Amino acid sequence: MTSELKTEHITINMGPQHPSTHGVIRFVIKTDGEIIHECDPDVGYLHRGIEKIAESVTWQGFVPFTDRVDYLASMNANWAYCMAVEEMLGTEVPERAEYIRVIAGELNRISSHLVAIGAADMDMGAITPFVQLLREREYINDLLEMICGARLTYNYYSIGGVNYDLPEGFSIKVMGFLDHFEVAVEQMHRLVTYNQIFINRFANVAAVSPEMAMDYNFVGPNLRGSGVKYDVRRNKPYSIYDKLDFEIPIGTASVGTLGDCYDRYFVRVEEIRESVKILRQCLQQIPEGEIQAKVKNAIKPPVGHKYIRTETPRGDTGYFIYSDGKTSPSRLKIRTGSFTGMSIIPELARNIFIADLVAVIGSLDIVAPELDR
Amino acid sequence: MNAYFNNIKNGIQTVFEGMSISLASFFVHPITIQYPEDDISSAEKLKETYKGQLGPMPENYRGILDVDLSICTACQLCVKACPIDCIVIDAVKCDKSKVQGTKSEKPAVKTRTCTRFDIHMGKCMFCALCTLACPTGAIVHTKVFEMNKYQLQDLVLSFVSEEEKEKAIKRDSELKVEAAAEKAAKAAKEAEKTEEEK
Ligand code: SF4
Ligand code: SF4
């Protein structure tokens, strides 16, 4: 017998309909036993041509389509688009509307992070935390339903403000929720964050160094997980974020190496806490007044282009709009965080276990519709 | 070696900690609605069953659309606002009247009436842009969300019945005749006038 056993690489498909891919994504994996030799993400299954749709609907009529770009954080997507059009029109959004926007956006950020964390847990085989976190998200959905009547695709932001004013008793309800939620976050820590099995699965897996994160154009919590302190809300403040007091949590390598899955996970947890802080401030400071600036019925931004960057739960989301002065955009481009997260997977997946690939996808918080648009 | 045993100890400890949280869930009130069995439209009953944990649907819930044709002025603003063209309106002239909308104090002037008002609920994405655009508040979202149908075509909601349509068309043609008569009379008068002047 020869001293060397020849092994052969097997090509397998993970997805498009795989329980642990977040949506319809396919990974073509060449494996050597349990070890991944090569991983090739195949995107585009959820491409709906949203950018092209923009060219045939009115400026205001495109807002509900931005809901569908990132269904876990539609408020933030609405916001980014509306802000881009407002900048083009030169519309000044009333202060109350800005506060409402921040409140709705941060609530949505919390709910989005809850799903991200919960789904990452579930990919690791822990079903309980997912259900528990989804329950908390349900309370947020109730709150958002109170203000706009929808639970997932809100279409709440309008060009120049918001569509509906806050209902009566809303701030009391949010305060009540936040008090309850802080306890729930503690509980979640006990349930998952400090769980030894969970730590062993996440720590030291797929570490991304700060340089590599910047090279691959990471954004949002993924970038901050690698220890780079960059947040559009702080570094290029928009809306009223410069008036608010909050921290930018970054990865600290508390249990593993800097930028590993655990760091990315933990940054999200910390961000939830910061959002709670922001919400409390906003609810105390929110002024009375108008919720909608005066805009013409038929919106026609002047000829030109604009690129807007906002911090959504999945990172730096940009809307590029090009107007030729007509009632619909001439070209619209959406730049999202999931896509940059996806592009690093071939690099990260080399020589790790198949089970760890699931952890990587979970910790990068990839949402398929946002990936493909 | 120490780290190894620590790891095992931590593993067991934290697992039991998690278990205790799961166990505690047995003693809190359920928060999942047993949907088709429980009537979710009645707030009282929900409160009773779920001990106040869950409320009923909010009043502003965006369910399927409803149109109050008596206050609709057939202005077609909702058609223009809809990004996916699921509203179709045909309108004819009608007797001039004032209608009181729900959105503003001032009554709106109605000169046209719908002979066809169809909403394709199969296409609608419940974005509320039409209800926001409507000046009178004639088109509104209801709290109804159960609308399973066997045929796609059944999802097209028609708000104008055949009789109403016929009536409106008949009235329209009468109005047209009247208007034509009026015009003719006017023209005759003009002609008389010019003749007199001559
Ligand atoms: S809710 Fe939206 S999609 Fe539905 S009819 Fe109204 S505007 Fe059109
Ligand atoms: S916008 Fe309102 S009043 Fe005008 S046609 Fe539509 S439902 Fe009727």
Side-chain angles (χ1 to χ4, degrees):
Chain A
M1 206 176 146
T2 51
S3 60
E4 230 178 81
L5 271 174
K6 274 231 168 82
T7 57
E8 205 178 309
H9 289 159
I10 306 173
T11 308
I12 54 168
N13 270 317
M14 189 163 147
Q17 289 96 7
H18 192 275
S20 66
T21 57
H22 296 200
V24 196
I25 320 168
R26 172 166 164 246
F27 297 91
V28 184
I29 309 172
K30 282 207 179 73
T31 64
D32 183 1
E34 268 288 290
I35 311 265
I36 295 173
H37 181 68
E38 210 182 293
C39 171
D40 192 9
D42 185 7
V43 302
Y45 285 89
L46 272 177
H47 180 74
R48 291 146 296 164
I50 286 184
E51 288 172 7
K52 193 72 192 167
I53 290 174
E55 292 165 25
S56 55
V57 295
T58 57
W59 290 92
Q60 180 67 54
F62 185 64
V63 181
F65 289 96
T66 61
D67 287 338
R68 274 91 182 155
V69 172
D70 180 359
Y71 61 89
L72 287 177
S74 359
M75 288 282 185
N76 298 78
N78 283 181
W79 194 357
Y81 171 71
C82 288
M83 225 164 76
V85 182
E86 279 152 15
E87 290 264 318
M88 285 208 92
L89 289 168
T91 310
E92 194 73 33
V93 180
E95 190 157 16
R96 184 178 171 81
E98 289 282 19
Y99 272 92
I100 296 178
R101 282 178 170 197
V102 173
I103 290 171
E106 292 301 326
L107 275 174
N108 209 184
R109 187 187 309 276
I110 296 177
S111 80
S112 168
H113 280 343
L114 286 178
V115 176
I117 296 169
D121 297 340
M122 196 166 71
D123 290 349
M124 298 297 93
I127 309 277
T128 315
F130 180 68
V131 180
Q132 297 244 0
L133 294 177
L134 232 62
R135 183 186 61 199
E136 299 308 322
R137 177 171 178 262
E138 210 58 23
Y139 292 130
I140 299 178
N141 277 358
D142 283 346
L143 292 172
L144 294 178
E145 192 183 21
M146 257 177 91
I147 58 175
C148 69
R151 293 179 79 83
L152 193 69
T153 47
Y154 308 109
N155 183 28
Y156 180 53
Y157 295 47
S158 65
I159 292 166
V162 290
N163 281 334
Y164 311 96
D165 204 347
L166 295 182
E168 219 151 280
F170 182 73
S171 51
I172 298 169
K173 275 221 158 153
V174 179
M175 280 295 187
F177 164 73
L178 294 180
D179 291 340
H180 150 88
F181 184 64
E182 278 176 343
V183 180
V185 171
E186 263 328 298
Q187 201 181 35
M188 185 197 76
H189 275 321
R190 281 170 52 212
L191 192 59
V192 232
T193 317
Y194 308 139
N195 185 307
Q196 192 65 30
I197 301 173
F198 180 75
I199 292 175
N200 285 358
R201 283 297 309 272
F202 258 34
N204 292 324
V205 173
V208 182
S209 66
E211 293 76 36
M212 190 171 163
M214 281 191 270
D215 284 351
Y216 274 90
N217 211 344
F218 259 27
V219 286
N222 294 341
L223 177 69
R224 293 191 283 278
S226 295
V228 184
K229 203 165 184 160
Y230 188 87
D231 188 317
V232 184
R233 288 176 295 171
R234 255 281 171 275
N235 295 62
K236 277 180 144 244
Y238 55 94
S239 191
I240 51 159
Y241 278 117
D242 46 355
K243 288 190 211 159
L244 300 170
D245 169 39
F246 61 99
E247 297 290 316
I248 311 290
I250 54 168
T252 50
S254 46
V255 291
T257 30
L258 183 63
D260 58 7
C261 290
Y262 192 82
D263 271 351
R264 284 194 284 275
Y265 162 86
F266 203 69
V267 161
R268 291 206 168 83
V269 179
E270 290 295 303
E271 247 177 52
I272 288 180
R273 286 175 189 275
E274 295 307 319
S275 291
V276 171
K277 230 159 98 188
I278 294 174
L279 279 170
R280 282 191 195 283
Q281 288 171 40
C282 283
L283 288 173
Q284 274 160 10
Q285 295 170 9
I286 185 166
E288 292 294 320
E290 287 283 306
I291 54 156
Q292 172 76 44
K294 286 241 156 10
V295 284
K296 285 207 188 97
N297 241 350
I299 296 166
K300 278 186 197 163
V303 181
H305 52 82
K306 190 93 217 163
Y307 183 66
I308 272 289
R309 294 169 65 187
T310 58
E311 185 75 25
T312 65
R314 258 157 288 287
D316 184 345
T317 296
Y319 274 76
F320 173 81
I321 51 176
Y322 187 92
S323 161
D324 51 6
K326 300 230 172 68
T327 51
S328 46
S330 162
R331 174 82 172 97
L332 186 137
K333 168 95 183 87
I334 310 168
R335 186 177 177 280
T336 57
S338 292
F339 194 78
T340 57
M342 195 74 171
S343 55
I344 202 172
I345 283 183
E347 181 69 32
L348 286 185
R350 202 161 291 145
N351 299 330
I352 61 172
F353 289 114
I354 292 180
D356 283 345
L357 175 65
V358 178
V360 173
I361 301 165
S363 78
L364 287 174
D365 187 16
I366 285 163
V367 171
E370 200 204 28
L371 190 64
D372 298 335
R373 294 173 310 267
Chain B
M1 202 62 183
N2 218 352
Y4 177 78
F5 283 115
N6 253 342
N7 210 354
I8 294 179
K9 189 186 127 238
N10 268 341
I12 294 171
Q13 207 174 11
T14 48
V15 163
F16 274 99
E17 181 136 20
M19 291 279 198
S20 71
I21 291 172
S22 301
L23 256 174
S25 308
F26 280 112
F27 303 102
V28 295
H29 298 299
I31 81 147
T32 318
I33 299 181
Q34 300 300 323
Y35 160 54
E37 284 86 36
D38 285 353
D39 181 11
I40 58 169
S41 53
S42 105
E44 277 71 47
K45 236 176 131 216
L46 270 181
K47 271 207 185 106
E48 208 178 283
T49 329
Y50 297 101
K51 302 277 181 284
Q53 285 253 15
L54 292 169
M57 292 158 83
E59 282 311 310
N60 59 350
Y61 183 78
R62 300 207 311 237
I64 67 172
L65 290 160
D66 190 21
V67 181
D68 183 356
L69 276 175
S70 63
I71 55 173
C72 169
T73 57
C75 63
Q76 309 237 3
L77 282 179
C78 50
V79 180
K80 286 189 196 111
C82 180
I84 38 183
D85 305 334
C86 47
I87 308 178
V88 182
I89 294 180
D90 288 342
V92 291
K93 272 220 164 75
C94 71
D95 294 309
K96 196 167 170 180
S97 61
K98 281 200 169 160
V99 289
Q100 180 58 52
T102 56
K103 273 195 180 165
S104 72
E105 302 278 296
K106 264 203 270 166
V109 183
K110 177 170 177 165
T111 56
R112 293 169 74 75
T113 188
C114 302
T115 53
R116 179 178 172 204
F117 199 123
D118 289 355
I119 305 180
H120 197 319
M121 283 330 273
K123 278 203 234 163
C124 174
M125 56 179 172
F126 306 95
C127 64
L129 284 177
C130 50
T131 63
L132 287 164
C134 180
T136 60
I139 186 165
V140 284
H141 281 287
T142 60
K143 280 160 70 179
V144 184
F145 63 93
E146 295 150 315
M147 46 179 169
N148 290 4
K149 294 275 157 58
Y150 284 105
Q151 303 290 332
L152 183 61
Q153 212 46 42
D154 295 345
L155 282 171
V156 181
L157 303 181
S158 294
F159 291 95
V160 185
S161 66
E162 273 305 309
E163 293 151 39
E164 279 168 18
K165 182 182 166 185
E166 261 159 40
K167 222 165 113 191
I169 289 177
K170 208 167 139 211
R171 184 69 199 134
D172 179 51
S173 47
E174 275 171 26
L175 278 176
K176 261 190 198 141
V177 173
E178 268 171 37
E182 221 169 79
K183 219 176 172 185
K186 223 179 185 179
K189 227 180 186 178
E190 290 272 291
E192 232 169 65
K193 224 179 184 179
T194 40
E195 215 145 277
E196 253 173 42
E197 265 168 30
K198 270 181 190 173

